[in-house]
Amino acid sequence: MPTSVFSQLDKSLHEHLSDLMRLAAKADDRTAVGLARAELPRMVTALKALLDEHQPDENGRCPTCRTRRFSRRLPSPCRAYLAAHLCLTITRDEDRVARSETSGRRPNHLRSAG
């Protein structure tokens, strides 16, 4: 069964991302810093390029994700923008909560005002 170019690219990209995640989690500090310095700029550039493709038009709609030419949907961020935003902001908040739980402190936004 022949494989498509997309499936080969997809597999290669997912393997690369898995390798990065594994190295970031398991590497010693010196290796992790080197990895971050080498890969973080490339990751940010890739994410910016992807988001540039989904930049809203003058009507607030994504020209890449728009399914119909004269769509009457309300202007809103497309799924690509929402996914990027949620992955970057939700993960950061969860990490902050996890770090606070292991240190015995609660983040400011979770402390009761009493």
Side-chain angles (χ1 to χ4, degrees), residues 40-109:
L40 189 58
R42 294 174 61 201
M43 298 296 285
V44 169
T45 299
L47 182 59
K48 283 182 176 183
L50 180 66
L51 292 177
D52 284 348
E53 291 288 323
H54 295 271
Q55 189 67 35
D57 63 14
E58 63 278 356
N59 296 316
R61 294 181 182 89
C62 176
T64 304
C65 294
R66 184 174 51 203
T67 57
R68 291 181 289 202
R69 184 162 180 83
F70 298 106
S71 174
R72 293 184 179 246
R73 292 179 301 158
L74 294 174
S76 63
C78 69
R79 289 182 181 186
Y81 249 88
L82 288 173
H85 179 75
L86 291 173
C87 287
L88 293 172
T89 58
I90 298 300
T91 301
R92 184 178 41 203
D93 290 341
E94 289 172 354
D95 289 345
R96 199 174 329 159
V97 170
R99 279 194 308 272
S100 297
E101 288 173 355
T102 58
S103 69
R105 295 181 52 221
R106 293 179 56 131
N108 290 337
H109 70 281

